[in-house]
Amino acid sequence: DTGVSQNPRHKITKRGQNVTFRCDPISEHNRLYWYRQTLGQGPEFLTYFQNEAQLEKSRLLSDRFSAERPKGSFSTLEIQRTEQGDSAMYLCASSWDRYSYEQYFGPGTRLTVT
Amino acid sequence: GENVEQHPSTLSVQEGDSAVIKCTYSDSASNYFPWYKQELGKRPQLIIDIRSNVGEKKDQRIAVTLNKTAKHFSLHITETQPEDSAVYFCAAIPAVESNFGNEKLTFGTGTRLTIIP
């Protein structure tokens, strides 16, 4: 499968715990995006990378959230001290480069905070 | 920032009939408008897109139209089939906000399309 992959697919955690998700973009895609999707809503932008550089963070991304893309390939999204409001589907997307526009999504990681 | 509104929120059509979903956007400088199909528990799948220099684009049973003056775009599905049942999202990329060109997508709230056999 050469599409975007994400792990784990599901994560259940207790409030206050830290969680980390991983995204592997389509090979050679320079741009990587993180979105969050809650039930009945469209995905909302969180942050994006051009290669290893994180170029923008949404106001939705509080200080408890951090994302990295250390070698310009896979990316990780960490949430510290999880809260019940963090329960959502976390989607990753990648695109070739600037002006290619087409973004291809991974299957997502569904986070449930109890 | 960009705001995208999508209507209707639910749509039921008889198999074989056509379905139309409409979206409006707020940023007149937006220049790229994709449509995604999301089946239950699956990833959003890009099904068609259109750029601001084009008024209409077709791909088999799916077409998208864009009216830049009115700032709205629509998805048209003809000869609907049961496998078309899903949630459809429109999206837009607002004007480039920096030299880095962040093509972040702003999504509508989705339309649940049900095809009645």
Side-chain angles (χ1 to χ4, degrees), chain A residues 19-114:
Chain A
V19 294
T20 300
F21 311 140
R22 175 176 170 132
C23 170
D24 287 89
I26 294 173
S27 178
E28 299 181 355
H29 274 193
N30 295 324
R31 296 202 153 204
L32 187 149
Y33 298 80
W34 285 98
Y35 292 85
R36 182 170 66 186
Q37 185 177 27
T38 53
L39 199 62
Q41 299 296 316
E44 295 177 291
F45 169 79
L46 293 178
T47 188
Y48 92 106
F49 293 83
Q50 168 77 27
N51 297 314
E52 66 275 9
Q54 186 176 17
L55 297 183
E56 185 172 339
K57 291 168 50 172
S58 163
R59 288 173 294 175
L60 292 175
L61 219 61
S62 74
D63 292 344
R64 298 184 296 105
F65 289 71
S66 62
E68 294 182 340
R69 194 182 182 196
K71 297 183 180 179
S73 56
F74 72 91
S75 175
T76 59
L77 177 67
E78 180 183 15
I79 309 174
Q80 296 182 327
R81 304 182 303 281
T82 52
E83 302 173 355
Q84 286 188 321
D86 297 331
S87 295
M89 175 74 82
Y90 290 84
L91 292 162
C92 175
S94 69
S95 67
W96 181 261
D97 62 9
R98 184 179 183 182
Y99 304 130
S100 68
Y101 291 163
E102 293 87 353
Q103 294 184 23
Y104 298 93
F105 281 83
T109 295
R110 180 167 296 284
L111 173 66
T112 302
V113 181
T114 61

Side-chain angles (χ1 to χ4, degrees), chain B residues 100-116:
Chain B
F100 294 111
N102 178 9
E103 283 88 32
K104 61 184 178 185
L105 291 168
T106 299
F107 284 85
T109 50
T111 296
R112 180 173 299 280
L113 175 63
T114 301
I115 307 302
I116 304 167

Side-chain angles (χ1 to χ4, degrees), chain B:
Chain B
E2 175 68 280
N3 182 50
V4 177
E5 295 189 354
Q6 184 171 348
H7 301 280
S9 58
T10 61
L11 179 62
S12 296
V13 300
Q14 290 291 140
E15 182 178 352
D17 288 349
S18 296
V20 181
I21 302 170
K22 299 181 179 181
C23 289
T24 60
Y25 60 98
S26 60
D27 187 343
S28 58
S30 291
N31 58 2
Y32 174 69
F33 308 91
W35 285 89
Y36 286 84
K37 174 184 180 181
Q38 189 173 31
E39 297 175 78
L40 189 63
K42 296 193 175 181
R43 72 186 75 196
Q45 178 189 1
L46 178 65
I47 56 172
I48 196 167
D49 56 14
I50 192 167
R51 302 199 178 202
S52 59
N53 58 348
V54 175
E56 182 175 3
K57 183 177 179 181
K58 292 184 70 174
D59 183 4
Q60 300 182 350
R61 297 185 297 108
I62 295 174
V64 56
T65 58
L66 172 64
N67 183 327
K68 287 178 58 179
T69 302
K71 293 190 287 186
H72 68 69
F73 58 112
S74 300
L75 177 71
H76 304 254
I77 306 175
T78 59
E79 300 173 9
T80 53
Q81 301 170 3
E83 54 265 35
D84 295 329
S85 294
V87 178
Y88 291 81
F89 291 99
C90 62
I93 287 182
V96 169
E97 299 172 348
S98 73
N99 290 332
F100 294 111
N102 178 9
E103 283 88 32
K104 61 184 178 185
L105 291 168
T106 299
F107 284 85
T109 50
T111 296
R112 180 173 299 280
L113 175 63
T114 301
I115 307 302
I116 304 167

